[in-house]
Amino acid sequence: MKRLLQALASRHLTDNEIVGAYAKGGTRIANCLLDVHVDQQHEKRRAVFMCGDNPYYAATPEDL
């Protein structure tokens, strides 16, 4: 699911932004545009995975 969110978010980035997302942290070109963040929903006890920045993508695991 994390890789899917990163793939969707990368569609809106430039080539340089994508390279920066994979660069070593702390370097001049590094960025966090493809980092996946996890937010816990307290009322439903589910994790929400989010990636991107305007637009951003979110996904919640579901049992199938």
Side-chain angles (χ1 to χ4, degrees), residues 4-18:
L4 175 62
L5 289 172
Q6 290 172 325
L8 290 170
S10 69
R11 295 174 16 183
H12 305 284
L13 301 178
T14 66
D15 293 345
N16 288 337
E17 289 172 329
I18 293 171

Side-chain angles (χ1 to χ4, degrees), residues 14-51:
T14 66
D15 293 345
N16 288 337
E17 289 172 329
I18 293 171
V19 170
Y22 287 97
K24 184 176 180 179
T27 60
R28 181 177 51 84
I29 64 170
N31 64 52
C32 58
L33 296 175
L34 292 180
D35 288 355
V36 176
H37 305 280
V38 182
D39 184 26
Q40 296 290 334
Q41 287 185 344
H42 298 290
E43 54 194 55
K44 295 183 181 179
R45 304 279 187 232
R46 288 191 195 174
V48 177
F49 295 85
M50 297 175 286
C51 183

